[in-house]
Amino acid sequence: HDVLCDAVDEQLMPTVARWLGAGPGQEPSHRLVPWRTDWSSQTGASQLGILHGTNHDVPAFRWYEKDTGEVMVCNRPTSAVELQRRAVARTRDGGLLTADGASRGNLFSGGAGELALVLSVSARRGPGNRSRAGYFAYFSDPANAVRTALSFVAEVGREIGQSLRARMRRQRPRVSRGGLYPLVRAFATVVERDVVVAAVVGDLLAGRTAVYADLVAYDEVAHHSGPRSRDAAKVLQRLDRSLALIEKVAEHAPRPYRIVVLSDHGQSPGETFRARYGLTLGDLVRAGCGLHVPRRAQGTRSGAEARAAVRAALRRPEGGEHHRPARHSEPIVLASGNLGLVSFPDVPHRMSREELDARHPGLLPTLANHPGIGFLLVRSEEHGGLVLGARGAQIPLDQLDADPGPLAAFGPGAADAVRRTHSFPHAPDIMVNSFHDPADGEVLAFEEQIGSHGGLGGAQTRPFLLSPLVCSPPVEEGGELVGAEQVHRVLRRWLSEAAGPQVPLAAEAEPEERAA
């Protein structure tokens, strides 16, 4: 939300500025409101809630499920299929886009009949897989292919140049931007953007009832360059031009359209946990368990959505963690931005604080008292849920409103978000949220990202919803929009307010034809 406001003030996004009436003599056509994410402030949880009405039991971007022995990863096609199936079973509804809708560039289908670049269908084999149809349709036009190819090469060169300048200036914080990253960035900022926007243009001209499209360019660049970097600002300028094109095409569509723009999370800046302390969260957990810690810390793979889109487009095998880790006694440590999850696979149930203390007496104190850790969430046989912090702080969940303890730095709503995640069947043995500095909004990512999201702390939990004034207000005056599930209900309400036919009617016959 704050990044968008600043981009409008700095005239980086003239289309959005015009919608908000930010220029002299301009009347606003849209309203801008912030909303608050769930604890899992990332696209998997948010988009599942927005499109399918529930993100119950999605504790993070990646997590280990003890009953199946599998690691679930939101941007893994097989996991996306299962998450969508669970959401449909829970709501008994196909999703937001079931009435003549189109889903473009998303993790989930939303029940749409028209699909392109949708991860939850990319795992299918045979004629049922239409996830790559958008690429074929777009690149079948030679003009599109040449224009996008040239832009792709230019973007690769731009990234290499920006990375070299950052290294020469010894810019901090900084993460590695070598290897295949320039190609991944160019795919997200050029190929996927062009294909998704072209698909949306086709949907508008076809008069589809509802279209939901995901543009991941800013997210991908901000992970590696920082949310408020010059690199990310340039991406926002190009995205604004895409919005202007969609608006212009909508004027010529066979039916009126209302353009809603939203972010499904924000991003919080900060260096990585490994860069500040010289070890990863996994190393710290192993040390607390009395296990061998490798001499050289290993980086954690980034969970950026664009990498999964590249693999799906190229029909490459799924990457990331092992699907079924061995059920040994060593802990499984997974990262989702500045949120960490620790599970012991040889224990079939969610371990309690008492069991953890008996098995590894030094683990919880080691984590809770580390300066890079904000708080822990564990199950307690005595208190139910328990939040642990430094210097022996321990607050039962039902007392957090009176005494937020370690959650005080994370602002209003943190206690409710933590209580909700504690109720999930697949919550891990230990939930770890990094340190957060309210003064500058920084967090410490457990992944190799200097702009991160996935947990609590800073701007990552404060996305925006930009909607036309002809739509009813998202919430009553003085109210707050909380959670992706509530955003889903707002979008459903706006669809019902649109009234009228679900598909465009044929043009009314001329008077002579009616007389005949």
Side-chain angles (χ1 to χ4, degrees), residues 227-516:
R228 293 182 176 272
S229 63
R230 285 186 59 192
D231 302 2
K234 295 293 185 182
V235 175
L236 290 178
Q237 286 181 307
R238 296 196 291 271
L239 288 177
D240 187 80
R241 291 196 288 269
S242 296
L243 295 178
L245 173 61
I246 291 172
E247 180 188 37
K248 185 174 181 180
V249 171
E251 295 174 357
H252 302 281
R255 62 185 299 163
Y257 278 99
R258 299 174 179 178
I259 299 177
V260 175
V261 184
L262 62 87
S263 57
D264 50 39
H265 55 74
Q267 280 206 23
S268 297
E271 63 182 327
T272 69
F273 187 86
R274 181 169 73 118
R276 178 166 295 187
Y277 299 109
L279 78 169
T280 66
L281 177 62
D283 295 332
L284 186 63
V285 171
R286 292 181 65 85
C289 293
L291 301 172
H292 170 70
V293 178
R295 186 179 297 272
R296 176 175 294 181
Q298 298 294 319
T300 302
R301 289 179 62 93
S302 168
E305 293 91 334
R307 296 179 183 273
V310 172
R311 288 195 300 268
L314 299 178
R315 297 177 180 263
R316 295 293 298 276
E318 298 179 6
E321 300 77 8
H322 297 295
H323 284 244
R324 291 181 175 273
R327 292 184 182 268
H328 47 63
S329 59
E330 294 191 5
I332 294 175
V333 182
L334 302 172
S336 297
N338 74 316
L339 178 65
L341 297 89
V342 183
S343 298
F344 289 87
D346 61 326
V347 179
H349 58 269
R350 184 182 178 189
M351 296 183 70
S352 67
R353 185 258 182 89
E354 292 79 6
E355 290 175 307
L356 289 166
D357 284 343
R359 179 169 178 169
H360 298 294
L363 176 57
L364 294 179
T366 296
L367 293 175
N369 289 298
H370 192 279
I373 303 299
F375 67 91
L376 312 177
L377 170 66
V378 296
R379 182 178 71 86
S380 169
E381 295 173 3
E382 179 181 358
H383 301 289
L386 199 62
V387 168
L388 305 179
R391 296 179 293 278
Q394 50 180 10
I395 314 294
L397 294 187
D398 58 4
Q399 298 178 20
L400 285 174
D401 293 326
D403 179 12
L407 295 187
F410 295 87
D416 290 337
V418 169
R419 278 191 287 259
R420 181 172 184 263
T421 300
H422 175 70
S423 70
F424 291 169
H426 289 114
D429 296 327
I430 309 172
M431 292 278 283
V432 184
N433 203 97
S434 87
F435 162 83
H436 163 57
D437 185 352
D440 55 19
E442 289 193 343
V443 300
L444 302 176
F446 299 124
E447 298 181 273
E448 291 303 295
Q449 300 172 347
I450 60 174
S452 66
H453 56 90
L456 289 175
Q460 63 184 318
T461 59
R462 188 178 166 87
F464 69 84
L465 178 61
L466 178 66
S467 60
L469 294 176
V470 295
C471 297
S472 60
V475 291
E476 296 180 0
E477 188 173 354
E480 186 178 14
L481 192 57
V482 179
E485 294 179 1
Q486 188 175 354
V487 174
H488 171 87
R489 291 191 290 270
V490 170
L491 295 181
R492 273 201 181 271
R493 186 205 327 146
W494 288 344
L495 282 174
S496 65
E497 287 174 357
Q502 289 297 299
V503 294
L505 293 177
E508 185 175 335
E510 293 298 323
E512 303 83 33
E513 295 174 340
R514 289 201 301 268

Side-chain angles (χ1 to χ4, degrees), residues 46-70:
S46 292
Q47 197 178 95
L48 188 66
I50 292 169
L51 288 177
H52 288 278
T54 179
N55 57 11
H56 176 76
D57 205 19
V58 181
F61 182 80
R62 45 171 73 84
W63 68 96
Y64 177 71
E65 297 192 343
K66 292 190 174 187
D67 51 350
T68 63
E70 292 191 9

Side-chain angles (χ1 to χ4, degrees), residues 22-53:
Q26 292 179 340
E27 290 294 326
S29 61
H30 285 62
R31 68 170 62 85
L32 177 66
V33 299
W35 65 279
R36 179 152 38 92
T37 67
D38 306 291
W39 188 359
S40 183
S41 53
Q42 47 87 20
T43 296
S46 292
Q47 197 178 95
L48 188 66
I50 292 169
L51 288 177
H52 288 278

